[in-house]
Amino acid sequence: MNNIVKNNPLEDEAIYIIREVAAQFENPAILFSGGKDSITLVHLAKKAFYPAKIPFPLLHVDTGHNFPETIEFRDNLVKELGLDLRVAYVQDNIDAGIVKEESGRYASRNGLQIETLLNAIEKNKFDACIGGARRDEEKARAKERIFSVRDDFGGWDEKNQRPEVFDMLNGKIDFGHNVRVFPISNWTELDVWSYIQSENIPLPSIYFAHKRKVFMRDNLIWSVDDNIVFREAEEEILEKTVRFRTVGDMSCTAAVESDAFTIDQVVDEIRNSNISERGARIDDKRSEAAMEKRKQQGYF
């Protein structure tokens, strides 16, 4: 592995946090969506324990509405690194009547991931889940601690969090509680992209400009998949050159027009962009406090 030792304070901090998780918890997992942030986490974990294998399983909450390119990338990565992948399916909870699928113009399975995630944590008895959320993404995520405690029901109380002084991380929890851990919380989107560029980390193809069949709604660019994304008959199918800045459920993740075909071009585009990373995430537009409400219920 190249570049094991280098002067990168953000990388050093993230590796320190990941190693603290291994030291303080008995049964951690890495939350893996197939997006750039969780792929960066896997790369950091690989460095943290090299030359040993990553000692944590990956946990993917599969909405059944993922981009196919992301699932293909996930499976290849797991095979290449010999990782233990656990997949929890939202469809299983829909079939069991535990959650109810939405219908209509803005229907999405994004919020239905909460129950599936909490069930998976309980079933696998995970006491810590390492996630790729960053403080610059969204205001509720800015409130999270690096070690963020969840109660017996997976709930998060943003007004009752532990202080974190310097680099001292307190992983002590009561029986039934668990912790969400955010090693790249202090990174920005540009930090992540610059790190991916410098480390030459592979990503799913949807992050780079490509021609795609889409349609326009509310000034956003939606992927065409009539089995997943609701489309009115009068919403015309177009072909545009687009890429995605985030990888979420297809039903709530819009694309952006882009000519960034390479990692260097993506970094330049992000550096010069005046649009927020999650500006194309429909799930964040449901209300001003949409993310905070989901997190209080146990969301990532």
Side-chain angles (χ1 to χ4, degrees):
M1 176 178 289
N2 296 323
N3 301 324
I4 294 175
V5 179
K6 60 193 294 186
N7 183 23
N8 184 336
L10 289 173
E11 179 190 66
D12 292 345
E13 179 189 57
I15 288 176
Y16 165 75
I17 293 166
I18 292 170
R19 287 173 175 165
E20 280 296 296
V21 173
Q24 297 194 38
F25 296 93
E26 294 183 2
N27 192 25
I30 295 176
L31 299 175
F32 189 80
S33 67
K36 67 183 186 309
D37 299 308
S38 57
I39 291 169
T40 297
L41 278 184
V42 170
H43 185 81
L44 289 163
K46 193 168 64 171
K47 281 195 167 188
F49 303 107
Y50 182 83
K53 288 171 58 175
I54 297 172
F56 315 135
L58 304 187
L59 173 60
H60 182 210
V61 177
D62 187 339
T63 66
H65 289 175
N66 303 283
F67 290 95
E69 297 95 328
T70 306
I71 297 298
E72 180 181 359
F73 182 93
R74 178 199 71 184
D75 292 343
N76 288 336
L77 180 70
V78 166
K79 184 177 180 181
E80 177 191 346
L81 299 181
L83 301 177
D84 175 8
L85 173 67
R86 318 276 176 91
V87 183
Y89 296 95
V90 169
Q91 185 65 52
D92 289 346
N93 276 349
I94 294 173
D95 293 343
I98 296 172
V99 294
K100 184 178 180 181
E101 185 152 30
E102 298 177 346
S103 60
R105 192 176 174 87
Y106 295 103
S108 170
R109 288 186 172 183
N110 196 45
L112 305 186
Q113 296 179 88
I114 296 172
E115 197 68 33
T116 306
L117 171 63
L118 297 181
N119 289 346
I121 290 172
E122 182 177 359
K123 176 184 175 183
N124 290 279
K125 300 188 184 306
F126 293 133
D127 52 3
C129 292
I130 304 169
R134 310 186 320 271
R135 289 191 170 116
D136 79 317
E137 283 182 272
E138 192 276 334
K139 55 190 177 184
R141 289 182 165 173
K143 299 178 183 178
E144 289 268 22
R145 299 292 193 267
I146 300 293
F147 275 15
S148 189
V149 178
R150 298 306 200 261
D151 65 21
D152 305 58
F153 303 100
W156 172 63
D157 183 355
E158 76 283 2
K159 296 179 181 177
N160 184 26
Q161 300 190 81
R162 295 173 178 173
E164 288 181 342
V165 182
F166 304 109
D167 59 351
M168 292 184 288
L169 301 170
N170 179 4
K172 291 184 178 178
I173 52 176
D174 294 331
F175 183 73
H177 289 194
N178 62 82
V179 170
R180 305 287 171 84
V181 181
F182 303 108
I184 60 170
S185 188
N186 293 326
W187 297 38
T188 65
E189 181 190 18
L190 184 57
D191 289 332
V192 173
W193 277 108
S194 298
Y195 186 71
I196 290 168
Q197 181 186 37
S198 67
E199 296 288 308
N200 196 26
I201 302 172
L203 292 178
S205 58
I206 61 172
Y207 276 117
F208 302 99
H210 57 285
K211 289 189 181 300
R212 197 174 193 95
K213 288 184 178 179
V214 299
F215 67 97
M216 302 297 299
R217 177 190 299 158
D218 302 334
N219 294 319
L220 295 173
I221 303 170
W222 299 74
S223 273
V224 173
D225 187 325
D226 289 340
N227 293 320
I228 294 177
V229 184
F230 180 89
R231 183 173 61 83
E232 304 279 4
E234 64 270 21
E235 289 174 321
E236 181 186 2
I237 296 176
L238 311 167
E239 185 175 85
K240 287 181 176 289
T241 301
V242 301
R243 71 177 196 87
F244 292 84
R245 286 178 69 176
T246 66
V247 173
D249 189 289
M250 282 183 72
S251 60
C252 62
T253 306
V256 294
E257 288 195 81
S258 172
D259 294 319
F261 296 94
T262 68
I263 182 67
D264 293 344
Q265 291 169 335
V266 170
V267 170
D268 286 342
E269 184 182 273
I270 296 297
R271 184 174 285 123
N272 296 310
S273 176
N274 56 9
I275 301 173
S276 74
E277 178 182 7
R278 294 185 69 91
R281 289 295 293 265
I282 316 306
D283 43 333
D284 289 352
K285 297 180 184 298
R286 292 194 172 201
S287 79
E288 277 291 308
M291 176 65 82
E292 186 158 323
K293 288 180 179 176
R294 290 201 301 274
K295 291 182 80 65
Q296 289 167 346
Q297 296 167 350
Y299 193 72
F300 303 96

